[in-house]
Every structure is written in C-alpha cells, then in structure tokens.
Amino acid sequence: MHWLGRPFQERSTQRFLGILIVALAVVTVLNLALPAGHPLHVSTYTVTLLGKYLSYALLAVAVDLVWGYLGILSLGHGAFFALGGYAMGMYLMRQIGDRGVYGHPVLPDFMVFLNWDSLPWYWQGFDMAWFAFAMVLLAPGVLALVFGFLAFRSRVTGVYLSIITQALTFALMLAFFRNEMGFGGNNGLTDFKELLGFNLRSDVTRVGLFIASGVALALGYIVCRAIVGSKLGRVCIASRDAEARTRFLGYRVERVQLFVFVVSAMLAGVAGALYVPQVGIINPSEFSPLFSIEIVVWVALGGRATLYGAVIGAILVNYAKTVFTGVMPEAWLFALGGLFVLVTVLLPKGIAGLLAWRFKRSESSGPGHGDLTAGEATT
Amino acid sequence: MNILKELANRDRVFDFLAPADSPVDVRHGPILYMENVTVSFDGFKAIDNLNLTIDDGELRCIIGPNGAGKTTMMDIITGKTRPDAGQVWFGTRHDLLTMKEPEIAHLGIGRKFQKPTVFEALTVFENLELAMSVDKRVIPTLTARLNGEMRDRIDEVLVMTGLVAQRHQLAGILSHGQKQWLEIGMLIMQRPRLLLVDEPVAGMTEQEMERTAELLTGLAGKQSVVVVEHDMGFVRSIARKVTVLHQGSVLAEGSMDQVQSDPRVIEVYLGESEEAA
Ligand SMILES: Nc1ncnc2c1ncn2[C@@H]1O[C@H](COP(=O)(O)OP(=O)(O)OP(=O)(O)O)[C@@H](O)[C@H]1O
Ligand SMILES: [Mg+2]
C-alpha cells in the first residue's frame, strides 16, 4: 500500500490537509463552543452551507481527476453525484419508517400517494445502512463501468465523449422525473428525519455531517493524489497528451481510462451522498446537464490538473453563487459565464496557476518539480 | 505430434532446443532476413523483389532517393504494411508476416518514427520510466515502484543519450535534437533486439549529429540497428555497411566508398540532383 502513503510525503498534500483540518476545527469550535449571540459564533446554517461546499469540492476533485489528468472532459458527472445522492436518499426515506404523513409502516409517502401497495424490488435493502452506503459507491461505479467500457473500447474521446456524457445525464434526468420510476418523480426524496439514528435537525448532527464532508474530501483527495502521483498517473498524463504513443509503448489506454473513470464516479457518488442529508432533498435537477457543466466551470476556474485548484474553484464559485442569488438571482448565470470567460482569457491555468506562480516566486527552491512531475522524487 | 512435425522439418532449428529466455534465435543466421519482398499500392510497386539481410549486432545504413521505399520497408518489418509476396524472418524462428504489430513490437523490434513524439508534460526521467519493459497492466502500474536495478537501467540510458543533466527537465522544453535522443532512449528502455530508426538527424545541428552518431554506433553490437538517412556526411560517419535502395529494390550494397563509386548509384543520385537543379 506504499502508493497510498505517498501523498503524505508531498508538501502540497500536507499543506492542503493542514488547511482543511484547521478549517474544520475552527468552524466546529466557533459553532459549538461559542454562544449564539457571540460575534464570532458561526451559525449552524453556515456550517451546513460550508458542508455543502465541501461535498461540491469532492465532486470537483473527481472531475479534475478525469479531466485534468486523463483529458476526458466529462459533462455528465452530475449523474454520478445524483446517483450517490439517491442511494443516500433512499436510505433516509426508509429511516422515516411510520413517521411519514400517511403513517405507512414501510412505504414512503410518495408511494402511498401513488397508491402503490408494496415496495419495488430495487428499494429492498435500503433500510440497512451498510447496504445503502455500498450502493452509494456501486450505483455510480457500475454505471461508469458500463458506460466507460462501451465508450473507451470504441475509442470515443474528445468532444464526442463530452456530448454523450451530457446525453447520459439528460436521459437519466428525464427518467427520474417520471413517477413510475419509483424515485419520487420531480419532487424527489425529502422530509428526512434521521441518519444512523441521529436527528438530522439537531446542531450536533449538522456539525457531524460538515466534518464528515471534510473527512471525505480529505480521503478522496488522498486517493486521487495517490493515483496521479503513481506511475499510473504518469500514464494518464501520457495518454492525455499522446494517446497513440502511449498505446505503442504497450499500455492498454482504454483500461487505464476505465479504471480512473470508475474511481472518479465513485468519489462523485460519495459527494452526492454527503450533500443530500445536508440540503435535505434530492431531486432530478441534480441530473440536469447544466449542473454538470457548472462543475466543469468550477474546475476550470480553480485550475485543472492540480486537484487543490478544483477545491478552491468549487468553494469560491459556490460562495459567489450563494451571495449572488441572494442579491440578484436572475443574473447568476450571466455572472458565472462572464467569470468563466474572464478566467480562461486572463488566467488560463486558473486560480491554482496564479498560486503556483506566487509560490514559485517566493520560494524558488529546487528544480522545477511541479505537481505534474513529482514522479521520481517520491517513487 | 508437434515435435514429430518439427523433427521432420529439418531446415529450421527445433523450437524446443532454443533457449527459453531469448525467443529470437540468431545462432544460425541473421537477425533479419527479407527475401523477394514485393508490395504494390494500386499497381505501383513501392517495394519490388527486395532482398535484405541484417546480421545480429550490425549497424546498417539504408540510403536512397525520395520514394525509394525506405519507410515502406520499415512498415513491412513492423507489421504495419503486409507485402504481396516474399518472406520476412526475425531470427530463424519468427515469421514476421504471420504476426501482428504489437506482437512484433513485443518480440523486440523497436521503431523510431520520423517525427519525434515524447511526453512533453513529463520529465525526461519519467519518459524513460514509462517506456521500461515491465508489467503494463493497470493495477501493477498503479502500485509500481522503481527498484535499484530499474534506476540503474534508466541512469544507464540517460548516460547513453547524454541527457543526464536534463533528467528532471520536462521533455517539452528539450531541444529538437534532445527530443530525438530521448525517443531513442525510450526505445532502448524496451530492450529491443532490432532498432529501426527513420531519419534521425533531420533538422539537427552539426554537433547534435555527432552526438547522434556516437549514440547509434554505441548501440551497435548490443542491438542491431537499421538507420534510414538522407544526410551523406552522417551516413559516412557511422556506417560500416550501406545499402542503396532504388525503386523498391537494392541497387548496391557495401562500404560507403564502394557504394559511392558504383556507377549505377552515381547515376541515380546525379539524375536526381539534375532534376532538382
Ligand atoms: N500507403 C500508400 N499508398 C500508396 N502509395 C504509397 C503508400 N505508402 C508509400 N507509397 C508510395 O511508395 C513509394 C515509397 O514510399 P516510401 O515512403 O517508402 O519512400 P521513402 O524511401 O521512405 O522516401 P522518403 O525519403 O521521401 O522518406 C512512394 O512513391 C510513395 O508515394
Ligand atoms: Mg521515408
């Protein structure tokens, strides 16, 4: 498992984990230890908002893994995020038990409303946490495996791949909108009560979910760093830049792509599963093609192929979105588009590129061992 | 049954006698043997009754005017193009015409194309690391670690290619000549038995050509090397034996001096330069 330990020796990863841990600790203390009237008190509302940003950050890391390092521009990662979210949502629905509006012992409210008399087969097992949590990984993982197998085997890449990932998430959105699918139609799944026995409305559970999101981000980040810092990561970069040449060296590029794509989809699923209990709802809008494009914009703004850039991009853009939609919601899409154009023109390497440039100027130590090239020193 | 068949087949070395670790058998002849090979594209014979043998460890230069069929010849050896007639053997045991491109590459025939392609976002060291002949499946690649022997091997190739000082540099910022050497280095990492090099010094400076000559002559003996080149000065500086190709078949073969004084060769090259003038 030495390859999983390697990220801990990298300075950029240490720095990232350090900042993340300090931020989690500070927010937690400011929420729990200070009284509500204190000027430094962080409200539970804000904690949950930050927890949502952290789950988005994990999603952005997953997208950067395939886009930044493999060169696969997925415009459908929202689908994997939503599937993880639905798996969590189904578990939370079953946790409601007989406390729903209709008081049915097993069936969720929307099924009672639709006059269904029994649980569909694919809802079985979701009353067990271990099963539901396994599905958080498996549902997106299997979809990515099947989709990726077909796409990469037929050497579908570039714009065509981006388009069919959009089609994938769009098709799923239409399917999940339908009541007969058994996922609550356009209302989705909501009115959750408990997670693992913890009341979702309590402050402590909220802080717990916030910390869980931070920990998941840290673990996801480490897994991704371990992959991109390994020889496999260098094969990814090689195939991104010169696919035919990589094949000629004897690497089965389509298998590398499939492996990394599936890992990325699973991380997106985990992000979705953490997002749902914090916002309290999952509905088909998470499958919308526009959302998947937004994720890509976060990564582009933060800076591709750095992983931490994706985190910065996701948090900053979503913070801006929160502020903006509070002031003038109609203008948000224009602001996002404008920001995207500005950054691609002025900062082609995103915010991370700017940071790396600043650091290089202030440190200027050692040979130019950027993040993409940390190969030999750590192998 | 197979063994009986083989015993009856006395014109070849018995497979079961061949050493297991070296699949290419060169004890009874050349490493590459081409006989009466013909290829035509839409009726035009790009290769016409070509006969060529390369000895184990030999450094051979192939020259010839544009369109003589040099690149096509390499395409045939590597399995990219199938000839209409003829035989191509690698050692005495491998009929290359029955094998696919990846199999031929795996067997130990490395090829450098005219245009260099290295991985620009990776360092020189990492480029060589990726080219190393090890298990290339996904999980072994994920968990791969360099051991001392592998490092030594990369270091050795860095020395051979003169890229020691550039080992941590991104391949993208290398000069044109350095990229060519890196690519040859990547070929050497795969431990080929036979190296095919197409126009290695095109666009190089005088000093870079000298370095390339040293590199290629240093390889000969350990590997067999076939170099296609237009630059006569360069060919003279490395070649012990030169083959002149013209209209798809061998026009002359011998030392550079022999070949250059051959009236047919003079005619072909003079004819060409008159056209150009
Ligand atoms: N796939 C093909 N289809 C049709 N004609 C071809 C094909 N490949 C090569 N030829 C022709 O075969 C002849 C030999 O080409 P080849 O590329 O082998 O020449 P060469 O000796 O490598 O020339 P150069 O010195 O210009 O590289 C040329 O006339 C070329 O046009
Ligand atoms: Mg040619």
Side-chain angles (χ1 to χ4, degrees):
Chain A
M1 297 307 267
H2 66 94
W3 61 278
L4 255 182
R6 191 186 293 123
F8 294 101
Q9 292 154 21
E10 300 168 347
R11 203 143 30 107
S12 69
T13 306
Q14 290 165 356
R15 197 182 287 146
F16 175 82
L17 292 178
I19 293 172
L20 184 60
I21 290 169
V22 168
L24 289 179
V26 167
V27 170
T28 304
V29 168
L30 293 185
N31 174 265
L32 293 181
L34 295 180
H38 196 281
L40 285 179
H41 176 78
V42 174
S43 70
T44 304
Y45 171 80
T46 309
V47 171
T48 297
L49 196 62
L50 293 175
K52 190 177 101 170
Y53 294 167
L54 290 177
S55 66
Y56 279 154
L58 177 58
L59 174 59
V61 167
V63 168
D64 193 25
L65 181 66
V66 290
W67 187 29
Y69 294 89
L70 267 183
I72 293 173
L73 175 55
S74 168
L75 294 178
H77 254 57
F80 304 125
F81 178 81
L83 282 180
Y86 267 97
M88 176 57 97
M90 287 161 81
Y91 165 71
L92 296 174
M93 287 308 267
R94 301 282 318 257
Q95 287 293 95
I96 297 172
D98 59 5
R99 287 168 294 173
V101 176
Y102 297 105
H104 193 285
V106 177
L107 292 191
D109 279 347
F110 76 89
M111 291 189 194
V112 181
F113 184 75
L114 290 172
N115 287 324
W116 291 14
D117 44 41
S118 64
L119 215 52
W121 61 267
Y122 48 84
W123 274 77
Q124 303 296 339
F126 278 94
D127 50 331
M128 294 175 285
W130 69 266
F131 180 84
F133 293 174
M135 281 301 155
V136 164
L137 293 171
L138 285 179
V142 169
L143 176 66
L145 187 72
V146 173
F147 177 85
F149 176 78
L150 296 173
F152 303 139
R153 192 194 48 170
S154 353
R155 310 259 171 103
V156 180
T157 45
V159 183
Y160 299 101
L161 190 80
S162 302
I163 291 171
I164 57 172
T165 54
Q166 276 266 287
L168 172 79
T169 195
F170 187 63
L172 282 169
M173 179 177 76
L174 295 184
F176 274 72
F177 261 127
R178 303 183 69 86
N179 282 326
E180 315 90 270
M181 277 287 284
F183 295 106
N186 59 351
N187 295 319
L189 310 175
T190 188
D191 288 334
F192 309 133
K193 304 255 186 294
E194 282 167 2
L195 171 65
L196 294 168
F198 294 102
N199 180 359
L200 281 173
R201 283 176 222 292
S202 87
D203 285 1
V204 178
T205 311
R206 296 265 158 169
V207 173
L209 280 170
F210 163 72
I211 293 173
S213 304
V215 170
L217 173 61
L219 293 178
Y221 188 85
I222 290 165
V223 167
C224 290
R225 279 272 12 138
I227 292 175
V228 303
S230 73
K231 187 176 174 191
L232 188 69
R234 297 190 276 287
V235 174
C236 290
I237 293 168
S239 71
R240 176 192 72 188
D241 296 345
E243 187 176 327
R245 183 80 178 88
T246 313
R247 275 183 212 287
F248 200 75
L249 285 183
Y251 295 97
R252 302 287 295 270
V253 171
E254 66 282 0
R255 294 197 184 168
V256 174
Q257 290 170 329
L258 188 59
F259 175 82
V260 176
F261 193 65
V262 168
V263 170
S264 166
M266 288 176 158
L267 290 176
V270 172
L274 285 161
Y275 169 85
V276 166
Q278 300 191 80
V279 298
I281 184 169
I282 172 79
N283 64 30
S285 68
E286 309 300 340
F287 282 112
S288 95
L290 201 61
F291 175 56
S292 289
I293 293 175
E294 268 193 67
I295 309 167
V296 167
V297 175
W298 308 339
V299 178
L301 289 177
R304 268 174 82 186
T306 59
L307 297 180
Y308 63 86
V311 173
I312 296 172
I315 293 176
L316 281 188
V317 174
N318 281 293
Y319 176 69
K321 184 176 183 174
T322 305
V323 172
F324 226 94
T325 44
V327 186
M328 41 196 311
E330 339 56 59
W332 165 244
L333 268 186
F334 296 100
L336 184 68
L339 200 61
F340 182 59
V341 171
L342 265 183
V343 170
T344 27
V345 171
L346 297 178
L347 287 178
K349 287 182 178 170
I351 298 162
L354 194 67
L355 287 180
W357 180 69
R358 287 287 311 246
F359 271 115
K360 226 172 240 160
R361 294 195 69 195
S362 58
E363 287 176 11
S364 68
S365 59
H369 246 284
D371 276 274
L372 286 180
T373 60
E376 196 208 353
T378 49
T379 31
Chain B
M1 268 315 287
N2 273 336
I3 289 182
L4 282 182
K5 242 186 224 160
E6 266 179 41
L7 284 172
N9 188 2
R10 298 301 303 268
D11 59 334
R12 284 180 48 204
V13 176
F14 309 133
D15 282 352
F16 57 86
L17 290 177
D21 57 333
S22 146
V24 184
D25 188 356
V26 293
R27 290 171 304 171
H28 297 267
I31 189 148
L32 184 75
Y33 178 79
M34 301 178 83
E35 188 185 290
N36 299 332
V37 177
T38 299
V39 183
S40 46
F41 298 113
D42 310 319
F44 166 75
K45 283 189 175 168
I47 295 287
D48 188 6
N49 224 352
L50 176 73
N51 291 290
L52 185 77
T53 50
I54 308 288
D55 288 328
D56 194 26
E58 184 182 352
L59 171 60
R60 175 75 64 91
C61 279
I62 313 266
I63 60 174
N66 290 110
K70 305 180 295 290
T71 301
T72 308
M73 183 196 81
M74 291 197 170
D75 289 344
I76 293 169
I77 299 169
T78 54
K80 197 174 165 204
T81 300
R82 290 271 172 239
D84 305 325
Q87 296 210 35
V88 184
W89 286 82
F90 190 47
T92 42
R93 290 213 289 147
H94 294 95
D95 180 358
L96 295 183
L97 299 186
T98 62
M99 300 174 72
K100 293 203 194 78
E101 250 184 303
E103 288 172 336
I104 294 176
H106 189 74
L107 198 60
I109 298 187
R111 176 172 188 184
K112 200 196 119 6
F113 290 90
Q114 277 176 263
K115 185 176 162 286
T117 34
V118 294
F119 303 121
E120 308 216 327
L122 299 176
T123 65
V124 169
F125 186 94
E126 290 166 343
N127 268 272
L128 294 176
E129 181 205 13
L130 289 196
M132 192 159 39
S133 49
V134 290
D135 193 340
K136 296 199 169 150
R137 287 171 303 167
V138 174
I139 299 301
T141 306
L142 177 65
T143 60
R145 276 178 117 146
L146 283 178
N147 60 29
E149 188 198 329
M150 293 168 171
R151 275 173 192 285
D152 290 347
R153 174 128 188 78
I154 295 177
D155 286 339
E156 189 189 318
V157 174
L158 283 170
V159 172
M160 284 167 86
T161 51
L163 293 171
V164 176
Q166 285 77 25
R167 63 187 296 154
H168 292 309
Q169 260 177 34
L170 293 185
I173 59 172
L174 295 180
S175 72
H176 172 74
Q178 288 171 328
K179 280 183 189 168
Q180 298 274 19
W181 300 331
L182 176 56
E183 202 180 347
I184 293 173
M186 288 167 76
L187 280 176
I188 303 169
M189 287 305 298
Q190 296 167 282
R191 297 182 185 273
R193 294 294 304 266
L194 172 65
L195 252 170
L196 307 174
V197 188
D198 206 348
E199 302 198 24
V201 299
M204 279 193 183
T205 65
E206 207 61 51
Q207 287 106 313
E208 285 175 332
M209 274 196 212
E210 269 170 42
R211 276 281 317 138
T212 311
E214 274 171 41
L215 174 56
L216 292 176
T217 47
L219 286 178
K222 280 170 272 177
Q223 277 96 1
S224 313
V225 185
V226 175
V227 182
V228 163
E229 190 45 70
H230 277 296
D231 191 288
M232 287 303 166
F234 178 75
V235 171
R236 173 173 286 282
S237 71
I238 63 167
R240 290 141 216 186
K241 195 169 174 188
V242 179
T243 298
V244 185
L245 231 57
H246 179 53
Q247 294 179 351
S249 47
V250 174
L251 185 68
E253 204 163 75
S255 73
M256 191 67 181
D257 289 328
Q258 282 171 336
V259 162
Q260 274 190 321
S261 55
D262 188 314
R264 288 169 305 171
V265 177
I266 294 171
E267 189 194 333
V268 166
Y269 272 92
L270 279 183
E272 200 190 33
S273 54
E274 268 165 23
E275 268 167 40

